[in-house]
Structures are given as structure tokens and as C-alpha cells.
Amino acid sequence: QVQLVESGGGLVQSGGSLKLSCAVSGRTVSAYAMGWFRQAPGKQRELVADITSGGSTNYADSVKGRFTISRDNAENTVCLQMNSLKPEDTAVYYCAAQMYGDAEYMYWGQGSQVTVSS
């Protein structure tokens, strides 16, 4: 049973910073890709950033230059450092993992609320 446990998130003022962390348990091998998604009220879930086991990263245009994704393959963890936060970043953020052999993200964290006040 693969489990993703998130930590971090909370309330911050516009321009502030937050860090999200996620740990994958239940598998002895590293995930192929790990990522962060977010869903704001009334909107579809969107990819924020993801990173492969080789370190290749991908970011949504809206967060480029402000957010940084990183991972520790040995620990099977992934982090999202969010700087220069804006009110439009307010959403529930989900950690996800795509294991080798899976065609898509199959495992999801419980979600962490990030609220940015103006």
C-alpha cells in the first residue's frame, strides 16, 4: 500500500513563502516522477510542478521563477518551496507519485491548504 503524507501549508501574506513536503511510504523503490498539483475552488486541478527520478523538472508557467521543486530519491520525498506567493496561489495542494510501470500519477496525498492573503 503506497501512502503519501504531506506536511506544510497554511496561511501567509502576499509576497511570503511556504514550503510543502511529501513522503512516500510503502514502496522500496523510488517513484519515477513526483509532483505537486493544486485545485482552487471552482477550478480544475492543475499541475504545479513535477520532477523525475533523474532530476528533470517541469513547472506551470504561472509559478516559474517563484516555486522550486526538489526531491530526495533515497528518502522518497519531494518538497515544493513557494516564494513570492500571490493570492491566486490559494488552493489545496496535492502531492502525487507516478511509479515505474504506471502511465500516470496513481498515488495522491491528502491535500494541504495554502491560503495567501492580499
Side-chain angles (χ1 to χ4, degrees):
Q1 182 75 13
V2 177
Q3 289 186 321
L4 279 67
V5 178
E6 302 174 21
S7 59
L11 174 64
V12 66
Q13 288 188 332
S14 181
S17 298
L18 284 174
K19 184 176 183 178
L20 299 175
S21 299
C22 175
V24 181
S25 62
R27 291 287 284 262
T28 58
V29 295
S30 295
Y32 166 67
M34 298 185 74
W36 289 95
F37 292 73
R38 68 185 181 188
Q39 186 166 21
K43 295 187 177 181
Q44 290 189 329
R45 185 174 61 193
E46 63 175 353
L47 173 69
V48 176
D50 61 11
I51 183 168
T52 67
S53 58
S56 295
T57 58
N58 177 47
Y59 293 93
D61 288 342
S62 60
V63 307
K64 283 180 181 176
R66 300 188 297 122
F67 290 12
T68 302
I69 190 170
S70 61
R71 68 182 286 175
D72 183 328
N73 290 333
E75 297 293 328
N76 242 356
T77 58
V78 63
C79 294
L80 184 69
Q81 177 65 46
M82 304 181 290
N83 298 328
S84 301
L85 282 160
K86 304 175 181 180
E88 51 263 45
D89 294 317
T90 295
V92 178
Y93 284 69
Y94 297 91
C95 172
Q98 178 184 1
M99 298 301 178
Y100 285 95
D102 290 340
E104 58 186 11
Y105 287 96
M106 299 293 291
Y107 304 98
W108 296 85
Q110 77 277 15
S112 296
Q113 178 67 48
V114 171
T115 303
V116 184
S117 62
S118 57

